Amino acid sequence: MALPLAAMQAIRAHSSHWEELCLALPSECYSSFFEHARTHKLPLLKRLTLLFHNAWPTSLLFTGRPLTTAPALSDISLINLPAYSSMLALPWDQITHFRGSLLYLADALDTLNEAPLESCTLTSSLGNPSTIDIPIHPPYLRDLILEGNTRALKYITVPALETLSIRTDGAFPTQQCVQFLRRSGCILQSLDIAVDFIAATDLVSCLACTPGLRELKIHNQNDRVHSLFGNFIMQRLTLGDHIILVPRLQRLDVLGCHCLFDTNVLASMLRSRWDVCGNGKAIAEKGRLDSFFLEASLTISKEIMHSPWIWRLVEEGMDIQVRALEVV
């Protein structure tokens, strides 16, 4: 049902002052807004969100000249647009931040290829492209968040990527992620993983491709069955004479750690990461772990909090937070 004409006119009357515009309307109502936007300057508009309640927007969104009256527009979010999102008559050549939810993956990839994106979030992308005609190398993309469907990793190469976030209810896409990181050759600074299951060996394979990593956040949502943050991972993260994983790590967050492990191994890992400067190692080669957050079982949390070594590290300046998981 279309909005009353008087209501739409009242909203449009203030268009020259819009800085952020979110439209959650039936498709047939969008044509009036776009017709107005094409003929009136929107000098302050920076962020635009379009949420489609039904499947197809009107053809006006796909035809005519792009929206050229909003020179400051750089941030677009599209929600529940099933196809042809990249064909919307929007100024894609000036968009640097994009969020797409419930879009077809092929259209999301087109957007990555056409717009000079610096940040991109794809949530629950639909479909699986059968063929990709041209390589997709977004040259300016620094931040990438994938939620639900991670298949975009298979098709893109991102040499400038600094931050990668993967959140899915399934298993961690180890092969796709490793191949993506090797192909991109990016110097990843931050990695955020929240998945139902990731094996410790798979995590090691991924971290081996990110030697410049500064921040690592891990949430293994099925840790009761498959332990991730155990002795094996902590030993691989301990600085020593062996091949070192993520030697420049400065922040480590581990969430949902239900399983038990040897807290002495944890102490050795944290101490080795904290004492790196005192051992005369160059900061450029090995960074100091300044911050550690652990969400663990009540048993492990109590044991850590009653251990002298943790308080020595805190007194020396390391930011350590330990939180007990709620008993369900």
Side-chain angles (χ1 to χ4, degrees):
M1 179 177 180
L3 288 176
L5 179 60
M8 299 190 73
Q9 289 176 339
I11 295 172
R12 293 196 304 247
H14 301 280
S15 60
S16 61
H17 301 286
W18 291 345
E19 294 185 20
E20 182 171 350
L21 177 62
C22 178
L23 299 179
L25 302 171
S27 296
E28 60 270 15
C29 296
Y30 279 103
S31 59
S32 176
F33 277 96
F34 268 72
E35 183 178 5
H36 174 84
R38 288 195 178 104
T39 56
H40 295 73
K41 292 183 179 181
L42 309 173
L44 303 180
L45 186 62
K46 298 177 181 178
R47 290 177 292 276
L48 175 64
T49 298
L50 303 180
L51 189 155
F52 298 91
H53 285 293
N54 46 359
W56 295 102
T58 58
S59 60
L60 182 61
L61 274 71
F62 295 104
T63 60
R65 67 184 187 279
L67 187 64
T68 59
T69 55
L73 182 62
S74 62
D75 189 317
I76 286 181
S77 298
L78 300 179
I79 304 171
N80 196 33
L81 180 62
Y84 308 119
S85 59
S86 60
M87 295 176 62
L88 286 172
L90 295 170
W92 292 110
D93 59 348
Q94 68 187 54
I95 303 304
T96 57
H97 295 73
F98 176 74
R99 285 170 294 276
S101 179
L102 296 173
L103 308 182
Y104 273 109
L105 179 57
D107 294 307
L109 294 175
D110 283 343
T111 301
L112 278 167
N113 202 45
E114 295 296 329
L117 297 182
E118 297 175 6
S119 174
C120 179
T121 299
L122 301 179
T123 303
S124 300
S125 301
L126 308 175
N128 192 12
S130 56
T131 60
I132 298 295
D133 296 330
I134 58 175
I136 299 174
H137 297 78
Y140 310 109
L141 189 64
R142 298 195 305 266
D143 304 316
L144 176 62
I145 299 175
L146 300 177
E147 299 178 343
N149 186 342
T150 61
R151 287 192 292 269
L153 294 174
K154 180 180 178 182
Y155 303 102
I156 60 177
T157 300
V158 191
L161 193 67
E162 296 178 359
T163 301
L164 175 62
S165 178
I166 296 176
R167 304 166 188 168
T168 175
D169 292 333
F172 181 71
T174 307
Q175 184 175 4
Q176 286 184 359
C177 188
V178 168
Q179 291 177 349
F180 164 74
L181 291 171
R182 289 176 176 172
R183 184 173 65 248
S184 296
C186 54
I187 304 176
L188 203 65
Q189 301 288 307
S190 177
L191 177 61
D192 183 350
I193 299 173
V195 293
D196 249 4
F197 168 65
I198 175 172
T201 52
D202 290 341
L203 179 60
V204 168
S205 298
C206 185
L207 295 181
C209 300
T210 60
L213 201 67
R214 303 298 177 97
E215 297 182 0
L216 174 61
K217 184 176 181 179
I218 312 167
H219 186 186
N220 193 34
Q221 298 165 160
N222 200 20
D223 194 76
R224 281 191 175 91
V225 179
H226 302 283
S227 178
L228 170 65
F229 193 70
N231 295 345
F232 173 74
I233 284 293
M234 287 186 287
Q235 288 168 349
R236 292 304 307 271
L237 289 174
T238 301
L239 296 183
D241 296 329
H242 55 278
I243 297 176
I244 300 171
L245 290 175
V246 288
R248 301 178 184 178
L249 194 66
Q250 297 175 355
R251 179 186 179 119
L252 174 61
D253 292 1
V254 181
L255 287 76
C257 184
H258 290 271
C259 297
L260 302 180
F261 55 81
D262 187 345
T263 57
N264 291 321
V265 179
L266 173 62
S268 297
M269 186 272 288
L270 293 179
R271 174 55 69 180
S272 73
R273 293 272 175 173
W274 178 252
D275 285 345
V276 62
C277 299
N279 290 337
K281 303 294 185 181
I283 295 296
E285 296 179 0
K286 296 180 182 179
R288 168 180 267 184
L289 185 68
D290 295 316
S291 176
F292 175 68
F293 175 83
L294 175 65
E295 184 185 63
S297 65
L298 182 60
T299 301
I300 286 291
S301 298
K302 284 184 175 180
E303 184 176 345
I304 292 175
M305 297 305 292
H306 288 88
S307 300
W309 58 263
I310 187 174
W311 298 111
R312 285 196 294 269
L313 286 170
V314 171
E315 289 174 358
E316 293 172 18
M318 179 181 276
D319 178 17
I320 300 180
Q321 299 182 53
V322 179
R323 183 173 67 193
L325 286 163
E326 295 183 3
V327 179
V328 180

